[in-house]
Every structure is written in structure tokens, then in C-alpha cells.
Amino acid sequence: MKILVIGATGLTGGHLIKHLLDGGHDVTAFVRDPAKFSIQHAHLKTAQGEARDLASLEKAVQGQDAVMSALGPRSLKADDLQEVFMSNLVAAMTKNGVKRVINLSAMGAGDSFPGAPFIMRAVILPLFLGKVFVDKERGEVHLFGSSLDYTNVRPGRLTNGSARGGVKASLEYGGLRPVMSREDLALFMIAQLSSSEWVRKSPLIGY
């Protein structure tokens, strides 16, 4: 498959790039500065652009079979990056007839907030990540209102450890340990490219 990876320079994005290439896919990394993107591979190319720039997203999406987004916040301050990006991405994909998108969200976002672990609801989100999640949720409104075949992945706390497998996915919190490695997250996201189980759903994932 031809896959566009957004957020390719991030920690999760790096795992996506590696494992997509290992799986034989043709990968395009969407980056602001290709000169600072050091990964090289015969099946990897870069597309220069910015999440707020619709024209660059439209150009990068052309000819792709699917899009994977691991775009994360640049700070904890109030921002509209996720909202503007998702509006642009939906428009770019719709214009180019690309339907499949795997988007990285977070446990506790949107309708997953009420059932989230107490410390997340009472401390982490309101005191530290509240503004980030407000922007993330505004972005999800654009995604959910689109006609795209999305899977909106909501992991818990992420670690930098190696993949260990045993990832669980559910629409409910019961029996789900809200932590996982970024490598396992990337592998779960890639697995969705060949699965329809979570299309137009927002699975919670963890161990």
C-alpha cells in the first residue's frame, strides 16, 4: 500500500515509518523540513508541508491508499492546531478520494472521558492536559462528521519500551491496563490498515 504518515518525526511516527517499511509498504513522510528527516529507504520519500497548510496536505494525499496520523501537540498551551489540521486533512482526503485514515487520539478524549481512570479525570486532564484535549476533541468533530473510513485510536499512557505484544482494544475500560509502548501502539495502528473491525470507531487500547 501507499501510505502517508503525518507526524513522522515524532516518537510514534518513527515506529510507524520503520514497521511500514518492514512490511513492504511505500511510505511518504509528511514533514516541515525534509533536510532534518534522516531516515532513508528505497520505499520512503518525503512530502514537505505543514499541518495548517491545506495545499501541502492536498498535494501529499494525492495517490495515497491510506493516511496515518500521529500528529501530537507542540505545547500544553491553548491552541487550535489539531482542529485546523483535522479540518484540512478531511478536506484533502475527500478531494482526492482517499478514504482510509488511522488517527492517533488519546484515552480520555471525547466520549471516553467519563469512564477514564480517576487520576486521569481528576488530576492529569484538568491540571495538565485540559487545553490539549479541548483542541483534540474539536479536531475529532471534523473527523467524525466526515465520510472517511477512520479508526480513531485512543491509547493510555505511552512508554518508550520495546513492543511486547498483548495489546487489548475495546470500547469499554474494563480489563484494560491504560499503558502501552509507542512501538506496540504503532503496530496496532498499522494492523488496522488490513482490518475493518474498528472502522468509524474509537477503540481504547492498552495491555
Side-chain angles (χ1 to χ4, degrees):
M1 296 179 71
K2 295 180 179 179
I3 312 296
L4 175 67
V5 177
I6 300 169
T9 58
L11 294 174
T12 300
H15 287 298
L16 287 173
I17 296 289
K18 177 186 183 302
H19 287 288
L20 284 168
L21 291 172
D22 287 348
H25 297 284
D26 292 313
V27 181
T28 300
F30 186 76
V31 294
R32 281 180 288 174
D33 185 355
K36 295 181 179 180
F37 187 72
S38 61
I39 303 174
Q40 296 185 348
H41 192 281
H43 293 278
L44 174 67
K45 62 181 181 180
T46 60
Q48 185 172 12
E50 214 279 333
R52 296 182 185 276
D53 180 32
L54 175 58
S56 62
L57 277 168
E58 288 180 347
K59 184 177 180 180
V61 165
Q62 290 176 10
Q64 304 293 339
D65 296 312
V67 175
M68 307 195 78
S69 175
L71 183 69
R74 295 172 186 168
S75 78
L76 299 182
K77 298 178 181 179
D79 200 352
D80 63 354
L81 175 64
Q82 295 284 337
E83 179 182 14
V84 173
F85 161 65
M86 192 56 69
S87 175
N88 286 342
L89 181 62
V90 167
M93 293 183 66
T94 301
K95 179 178 180 178
N96 285 282
V98 180
K99 296 282 289 184
R100 191 71 171 112
V101 57
I102 316 298
N103 181 58
L104 175 57
S105 181
M107 190 175 288
D111 60 6
S112 70
F113 178 79
F118 174 78
I119 192 168
M120 184 180 292
R121 288 183 286 111
V123 179
I124 297 175
L125 293 187
L127 297 183
F128 301 103
L129 299 177
K131 294 175 181 177
V132 171
F133 272 55
V134 167
D135 184 31
K136 187 180 294 292
E137 290 163 7
R138 289 194 302 248
E140 288 184 347
V141 170
H142 292 286
L143 182 63
F144 299 160
S146 75
S147 61
L148 301 179
D149 293 332
Y150 65 81
T151 297
N152 189 52
V153 181
R154 289 174 169 167
R157 181 174 62 86
L158 298 174
T159 72
N160 293 325
S162 300
R164 48 165 271 190
V167 173
K168 298 177 182 178
S170 176
L171 297 178
E172 307 292 337
Y173 281 94
L176 197 68
R177 184 170 171 241
V179 62
M180 67 186 312
S181 73
R182 288 180 171 85
E183 187 172 19
D184 270 327
L185 165 61
L187 289 168
F188 177 87
M189 292 175 68
I190 292 170
Q192 304 318 301
L193 292 171
S194 57
S195 172
S196 61
E197 181 177 5
W198 301 107
V199 171
R200 295 192 66 83
K201 296 178 181 177
S202 297
L204 304 163
I205 62 172
Y207 292 133

